[in-house]
Amino acid sequence: MNAPRYVRPSWTDALFNRLPYALARLGFSVYGTRILAVRGRRSGTWRTAVVNLLDHDGARYLVSPRGETQWVRNLRAAGGGELRLGRRCESFVAREIADGDKPAVLRAYLRRWRFEGKAFFAGLAADPSDADLLRVARDYPVFRLTAAS
């Protein structure tokens, strides 16, 4: 079995991500950005990352275009976290969806953030088929979010 896919951010990616992170802290969302806060799986301290929140068919999703990132691993362990935008903070419970359920969500993600498609979804056509999306689904963790009670 292959190692989980992970695309490490370059120094330019890290530099570029500072802008949407800073804007989200101030309360401005760029294309659905939020600050994801989740407890670290080992330390238990809050860890944050800027993410794209996808609204699709009445549900909310987080997709990791970089694959098995630290926030993905922490979210799996914690089972939930917070989405922050300015002073607003929403607690949520996360459930990772099965690979077979990912094509529609991945397609919606690709349509919404088309500019990321070439960098993180290399080898896929502009409008990939379900078969193509199923072929790569294991490389892209997807979580469905529900409000924490």
Side-chain angles (χ1 to χ4, degrees):
M1 183 172 193
N2 295 339
R5 178 182 163 277
Y6 173 60
V7 178
R8 181 179 303 280
S10 68
W11 69 271
T12 54
D13 292 335
L15 185 63
F16 176 76
N17 281 340
R18 289 182 181 178
L19 179 61
Y21 188 95
L23 289 172
R25 282 195 61 176
L26 293 172
F28 299 101
S29 176
V30 180
Y31 276 88
T33 56
R34 300 289 190 280
I35 294 174
L36 169 68
V38 63
R39 296 271 184 190
R41 62 192 179 282
R42 294 185 206 139
S43 68
T45 60
W46 287 102
R47 304 293 183 184
T48 59
V50 66
V51 294
N52 294 324
L53 180 62
L54 175 66
D55 289 309
H56 174 67
D57 283 347
R60 299 168 83 189
Y61 296 91
L62 290 179
V63 175
S64 179
R66 292 185 180 276
E68 298 282 326
T69 62
Q70 294 299 322
W71 73 256
V72 166
R73 294 173 183 183
N74 288 335
L75 190 55
R76 282 180 182 144
E82 297 176 350
L83 290 174
R84 301 173 182 172
L85 184 62
R87 294 182 184 199
R88 288 185 297 174
C89 180
E90 303 173 63
S91 295
F92 67 86
V93 175
R95 182 182 60 81
E96 192 165 6
I97 67 172
D99 291 348
D101 297 330
K102 290 179 184 178
V105 177
L106 291 174
R107 183 174 290 107
Y109 187 92
L110 285 167
R111 285 185 180 146
R112 177 80 169 114
W113 290 283
R114 191 176 315 264
F115 56 89
E116 283 187 354
K118 290 179 183 171
F120 299 117
F121 294 86
L124 287 180
D127 191 18
S129 68
D130 281 353
D132 288 338
L133 291 169
L134 278 171
R135 179 178 45 80
V136 300
R138 71 178 291 275
D139 292 333
Y140 300 94
V142 177
F143 296 88
R144 183 178 177 153
L145 309 182
T146 55
S149 50

